[in-house]
Amino acid sequence: MTAPVPPALTTVVVVDDSPVQRRFVRGAVEADPDLTVIGEARNGKEAVALVARLRPAAVLMDLDLPVMSGIEAIEQIMAASPTPILVYSAHVAGVESANALEALAAGAVDVLAKPGPDHTGSLDEYAHQLRRRLKVAARIRVITHPRGKLRTQVLAGLPWLQAEPGWAPEPAEVRQGVALIAIGASTGGPQALHTLLKDLPADLTQAVLVVQHMAEGFIPGLVAWLDQLVPLSVLVGGGGRRLMPGTITIAPSGANLLVLDDRLRVLCQPPDAGQFHVPGIDQCFGSIADALGPDAIGVLLTGMGRDGAVGLKAMRDRGAVTLGQDEATSTVYGMPQAAFALDAVERQLPLDQMAPTLLSLVGRAT
Amino acid sequence: MGADTACVGARALLRGEFAEEIADRLPHFEALRCFPGQAALELARRDAHTLASSAWVVGEPELSRVAREVEHQLPGGPLDELLSLLRNWTP
């Protein structure tokens, strides 16, 4: 008879220049018997060396660090020793949410606001959230970012984005009457959205709707960030408005954005009781299936969990073309995999083939 | 004892660490009074940022609020009030 094998501990490296924060985080993290802190770094430079040496399951990192900034450290870690990084910083919420997007673009998998004087929750709640988010982050399979950031000019040279030799997507049949391209994304989404949306031309005649899982307050930063990087205009959606051709609308946080009819009018609806992901991709895609039937295209990108699979299936069942991101290029192959398993995905594609395929489908030469 | 209770119980230990952190950073704010150059400003801003978060963790919301105001308003802001609060922590 063999003794039961204890589950492997999730190892964590903490990066913060404050001894108070490091002590607090160590106590909070190790209150969970499945988590252990195996190293502490006081600045970005120490973090890069420590992560390379210890190879933890996850890194918890502040952004405002001496010697080397958190963003630069994330880039270097993701280039040399890819590790899921959860950023916790006081500079990622509200008007500073652009910092969160920058961290995600550099390769961090999640961002948590470090509490301060305006925080209304308790220390216990914050500690609980730290543990929960760390455990989720540690399960994420990350990939090397050879130069840290996914810069446009570098994308073509990234080996993980390149298709196998000789591979080419099947030509997409042109679909007449498509009015809306709907995209759902979660973990890894901001980088993936940038990669896809940068290749949609400014004179696109379809409306684009994006549902990205994101905590309250981060959507304006995502919108501002994308708006600088992609040819189409990017704005936050709101109830009572219409989705406009040639415009990317990002669903706001805190509600589900539903498409009401073929005039592309939208409604913001409070989340369902117990709904985990807000804004919900399933709810949005389901409304599009009802409102537009075959006159929409659904795209499900990288993300943890299952949100979007049921909604994408509804779209496919109503005649829409549906695309899912493939495993090789997904930061997390959870949502696309769930959709694929549900037979909701008509075509599974590498990320860099999404935009060319969409343009082929709407009759635009690429 | 639950995980959260243990976490809160550790706050007392954190306060000792916080006093040491203040002792390390207080001279930077005092120096700002004498040598208000860009480097001193940047150092003080980073210290105020760190103290704002640390003060919240150790259960000092007023100090956290004042430190955050100083962080955002330097070279203005309630620097004297922050110095006064920080000196309460020094022996």
Side-chain angles (χ1 to χ4, degrees):
Chain A
M1 185 171 161
T2 56
V5 178
L9 285 173
T10 299
T11 54
V12 178
V13 161
V14 176
V15 188
D16 200 308
D17 64 325
S18 162
V20 174
Q21 292 287 344
R22 292 199 304 273
R23 181 184 281 267
F24 165 71
V25 165
R26 179 182 279 273
V29 168
E30 294 190 336
D32 187 318
D34 295 335
L35 297 170
T36 184
V37 175
I38 57 170
E40 297 180 6
R42 296 168 299 177
N43 59 57
K45 191 174 179 183
E46 282 185 6
V48 173
L50 200 61
V51 171
R53 184 161 61 84
L54 300 179
R55 301 311 302 256
V59 177
L60 182 64
M61 182 182 287
D62 191 15
L63 284 184
D64 200 345
L65 296 170
V67 184
M68 178 191 288
S69 75
I71 295 292
E72 191 177 348
I74 293 168
E75 290 180 348
Q76 294 204 14
I77 288 170
M78 295 312 292
S81 329
T83 308
I85 299 173
L86 169 60
V87 164
Y88 78 129
S89 169
H91 286 315
V92 294
V95 295
E96 297 181 300
S97 59
N99 293 325
L101 273 300
E102 195 179 358
L104 293 168
V109 298
D110 196 5
V111 175
L112 180 64
K114 192 187 271 188
D118 300 328
H119 191 76
T120 53
S122 71
L123 196 64
D124 285 353
E125 290 165 348
Y126 173 54
H128 175 71
Q129 203 173 29
L130 263 181
R131 291 190 288 270
R132 187 177 66 79
R133 301 275 279 270
L134 260 179
K135 291 173 97 167
V136 170
R139 293 204 305 268
I140 295 173
R141 181 183 59 83
V142 290
I143 46 184
T144 303
H145 291 207
R147 286 181 56 183
K149 284 187 176 178
L150 294 175
R151 295 187 177 92
T152 303
Q153 62 271 30
V154 182
L155 277 173
L158 299 187
W160 63 270
L161 279 180
Q162 287 177 340
E164 291 175 12
W167 186 90
E170 294 173 27
E173 185 183 335
V174 175
R175 298 289 296 246
Q176 303 295 336
V178 170
L180 175 65
I181 297 168
I183 303 169
S186 186
T187 310
Q191 303 101 308
L193 287 169
H194 171 218
T195 303
L196 191 164
L197 297 173
K198 72 179 174 53
D199 290 334
L200 299 184
D203 60 347
L204 190 76
T205 54
Q206 286 73 29
V208 179
L209 174 58
V210 172
V211 184
Q212 163 72 49
H213 293 157
M214 198 156 266
E216 196 86 36
F218 289 164
I219 292 293
L222 175 67
V223 169
W225 179 68
L226 283 174
D227 197 44
Q228 291 176 351
L229 298 174
V230 306
L232 292 164
S233 295
V234 186
L235 49 82
V236 185
R241 298 183 195 160
R242 289 179 58 201
L243 306 177
M244 302 303 295
T247 300
I248 298 166
T249 301
I250 311 281
S253 55
N256 294 320
L257 191 73
L258 308 181
V259 177
L260 294 178
D261 55 30
D262 59 4
R263 295 173 59 200
L264 303 183
R265 290 184 300 175
V266 296
L267 167 74
C268 281
Q269 196 173 64
D272 304 331
Q275 183 181 330
F276 189 70
H277 293 296
V278 183
I281 303 171
D282 276 333
Q283 289 81 353
C284 179
F285 281 8
S287 73
I288 293 168
D290 291 340
L292 295 173
D295 295 336
I297 299 173
V299 180
L300 196 56
L301 299 178
T302 173
M304 182 169 281
R306 303 180 54 83
D307 191 26
V310 171
L312 197 71
K313 182 69 164 69
M315 288 184 70
R316 188 174 189 195
D317 288 346
R318 299 293 290 268
V321 176
T322 57
L323 309 178
Q325 187 174 350
D326 71 358
E327 182 174 9
T329 64
S330 291
T331 303
V332 182
Y333 186 54
M335 292 184 346
Q337 183 180 36
F340 191 74
L342 206 59
D343 196 29
V345 177
E346 184 176 325
R347 303 184 67 170
Q348 186 164 240
L349 296 167
L351 182 59
D352 66 343
Q353 291 302 318
M354 285 290 180
T357 301
L358 288 170
L359 294 176
S360 295
L361 284 165
V362 299
R364 295 286 298 259
T366 57
Chain B
M1 189 164 64
D4 289 344
T5 309
C7 180
V8 171
R11 186 178 276 181
L13 293 173
L14 288 173
R15 292 177 72 85
E17 196 91 54
F18 186 56
E20 290 179 23
E21 189 162 292
I22 287 176
D24 286 343
R25 297 177 191 265
L26 183 58
H28 301 161
F29 295 107
E30 290 170 336
L32 190 62
R33 277 274 176 261
C34 309
F35 316 105
Q38 192 55 43
L41 265 178
E42 179 51 33
L43 190 58
R45 188 205 61 77
R46 183 188 297 281
D47 286 337
H49 164 79
T50 301
L51 289 172
S53 296
S54 298
W56 188 86
V57 164
V58 301
E60 293 289 336
E62 179 63 11
L63 178 50
S64 176
R65 180 189 64 75
V66 174
R68 186 69 85 219
E69 283 184 25
V70 167
E71 178 195 358
H72 288 150
Q73 296 176 31
L74 276 174
L79 186 56
D80 289 337
E81 188 181 354
L82 179 62
L83 280 167
S84 172
L85 288 168
L86 294 179
R87 284 173 184 141
N88 289 338
W89 282 77
T90 55

